[in-house]
Amino acid sequence: MVRQAILPVLAVVGFAAAVWAVNKQSAPIVSVPAATNPAMNPFGRAVSGAGVVEPTSESIAVSPAIGGIIVDVFAVWGQNVKAGQPLYQIDARPINAQIAQAKAEIAIRQASVAQAKASLDRLQAGNREEDKRIAAARVDVARTQVEEANDQWARLKPLLESRVSTEDEASRRRFALKQAEANKVLAQAELAKTEAGGWALDVGVQEAAVRAAEAELTAAKAKLLALEVDLDRLTVRAPVDGTVLRVNARKGQYVPAGGVSASTDGAVVLGDIEHLHVRVDIDETDVARFDKTAKAVAFSRGATRIALPLEFVRIEPYVIPKRQLTGASNERVDTRVLQVIYRIDKGDRPLFVGQQMDVFIESGR
């Protein structure tokens, strides 16, 4: 009996819970007002586009020409710098070691040049008088040795005929005479060479050796100069006057040699923000209605009631894929855009590089 009484009660409770849940889900949705109203088109007909504030110089990513470890950072966010002012320093120890080696190489090459020139001077000047006297004395010694060998051979002949001397002794005396005569010829030739001085062919060869040594010295000096240039480049400097927009460099961080990279990827990012530009993306479907001479205004996000006048600067005549996104629900990302640059007069209003703008350009079509 108890069970039969509980079952209807549970059914009633479940039905009531279901009705309550359905009513709660169908409650009216409360709309939340937008934080700021969107910018309104001030013209009758207009071409609209998303713009981004940038320096007049555009953002300059200052990366090193030679990669290495950062040992010091001089740049500070918001700092005004002059062209040539140091921004950060790359470790110079490897280059300094190469410079020391290059200087030692130059010293070796200078010694080689000096030695080659001394040899050339000696050949061009000929032999000294002392060398000539020494060569003449050697000829006299050789002549004396020949006379002595002839005398000994003349004395040996009668002894050989009377069989007092042996054939071995006779052979030794003949060979001694021939050697003395050969030494005399050699000494006379050395004397003639000494008296003749340097041979023209030898002088030409030595002149070529001097030129080769000088060329090697020049190459070593050029190598040192290149290393000194690299040493100076390890102190990365501001390429233009401007303001430090970003500092991505940290002490102890390895920074690779810079190439063409995104404007915000450099170790330090600079820009001339004394005057500002707005880079506007115009959808390719609106390009036909765009008129560069027409009036244009920009509204910063959060200040949609203040229209900032724009002055046309240039068109970058290359339609590119759209990269700047506004976050609008109806925004297309599968399109291409024409980028137009305007100068903006911010007056006393706070505008910063990278800030998004809503831009409207009057159109008659």
Side-chain angles (χ1 to χ4, degrees):
M1 295 294 292
V2 175
R3 288 183 177 179
Q4 293 178 353
I6 291 176
L7 289 176
V9 173
L10 292 177
V12 172
V13 171
F15 178 76
V19 171
W20 178 83
V22 171
N23 290 332
K24 183 176 182 181
Q25 290 181 356
S26 62
I29 299 175
V30 178
S31 61
V32 179
T36 59
N37 294 323
M40 301 299 292
N41 176 17
F43 306 113
R45 294 182 179 180
V47 173
S48 62
V52 174
V53 178
E54 66 179 21
T56 53
S57 62
E58 300 187 19
S59 296
I60 302 172
V62 185
S63 298
I66 303 172
I69 303 296
I70 296 176
V71 296
D72 210 347
V73 179
F74 312 113
V76 179
W77 292 68
Q79 177 187 12
N80 292 324
V81 295
K82 296 292 185 181
Q85 184 172 334
L87 300 177
Y88 56 96
Q89 176 69 48
I90 304 294
D91 186 6
R93 289 176 295 177
I95 294 292
N96 284 329
Q98 295 179 46
I99 287 176
Q101 185 177 3
K103 288 181 177 179
E105 181 69 18
I106 288 177
I108 294 173
R109 298 304 176 191
Q110 287 173 335
S112 297
V113 170
Q115 183 178 5
K117 287 184 175 181
S119 298
L120 177 61
D121 292 342
R122 185 168 58 251
L123 285 173
Q124 290 175 336
N127 294 303
R128 297 178 300 177
E129 291 298 325
E130 293 85 349
D131 295 333
K132 294 179 181 179
R133 286 195 293 270
I134 291 173
R138 287 174 179 169
V139 170
D140 292 340
V141 171
R143 188 179 293 116
T144 302
Q145 290 174 347
V146 169
E147 292 174 356
E148 182 182 1
N150 276 322
D151 182 65
Q152 290 180 357
W153 174 246
R155 291 182 182 184
L156 184 63
K157 281 183 178 180
L159 299 177
L160 184 61
E161 292 174 355
S162 61
R163 298 184 181 277
V164 175
S165 179
T166 64
E167 283 293 332
D168 290 340
E169 181 66 22
S171 296
R172 284 196 295 273
R173 295 296 171 85
R174 282 196 298 271
F175 289 142
L177 176 59
K178 290 181 179 181
Q179 184 176 4
E181 289 174 345
N183 288 337
K184 177 183 175 182
V185 173
L186 179 61
Q188 289 173 338
E190 289 291 341
L191 175 61
K193 179 180 177 182
T194 302
E195 291 176 341
W199 189 28
L201 181 59
D202 290 339
V203 172
V205 170
Q206 192 58 37
E207 287 176 343
V210 170
R211 290 194 296 270
E214 289 176 340
E216 291 175 348
L217 176 60
T218 301
K221 289 181 177 179
K223 181 180 178 181
L224 175 61
L225 179 61
L227 289 172
E228 289 175 342
V229 170
D230 287 343
L231 178 63
D232 181 70
R233 294 165 76 187
L234 291 179
T235 302
V236 182
R237 306 174 187 276
V240 296
D241 295 351
T243 302
V244 177
L245 303 178
R246 293 192 66 184
V247 179
N248 300 321
R250 304 290 184 271
K251 288 182 65 173
Q253 175 184 3
Y254 177 83
V255 56
V260 178
S261 60
S263 60
T264 58
D265 289 344
V268 174
V269 180
L270 296 179
D272 180 5
I273 60 174
E274 184 177 356
H275 302 286
L276 295 175
H277 283 173
V278 176
R279 180 177 296 269
V280 184
D281 285 349
I282 297 178
D283 193 287
E284 59 184 343
T285 59
D286 292 329
V287 170
R289 299 192 302 118
F290 169 70
D291 181 3
K292 66 180 182 180
T293 62
K295 294 180 181 179
V297 295
F299 298 89
S300 60
R301 302 292 172 85
T304 56
R305 294 184 179 182
I306 304 175
L308 302 177
L310 300 179
E311 179 184 349
F312 175 79
V313 175
R314 69 178 184 273
I315 296 175
E316 295 191 352
Y318 188 81
V319 178
I320 63 172
K322 185 174 184 178
R323 290 194 294 260
Q324 298 179 18
L325 303 180
T326 63
S329 59
N330 61 345
E331 182 174 29
R332 290 181 56 193
V333 296
D334 59 338
T335 186
R336 301 174 73 85
V337 294
L338 176 70
Q339 293 194 322
V340 183
I341 311 300
Y342 284 93
R343 182 179 293 108
I344 185 170
D345 183 11
K346 65 177 182 177
D348 296 331
R349 301 173 186 86
L351 281 182
F352 299 95
V353 173
Q355 190 171 347
Q356 283 192 329
M357 309 288 288
D358 294 319
V359 178
F360 297 93
I361 306 164
E362 188 176 18
S363 174
R365 290 177 285 179

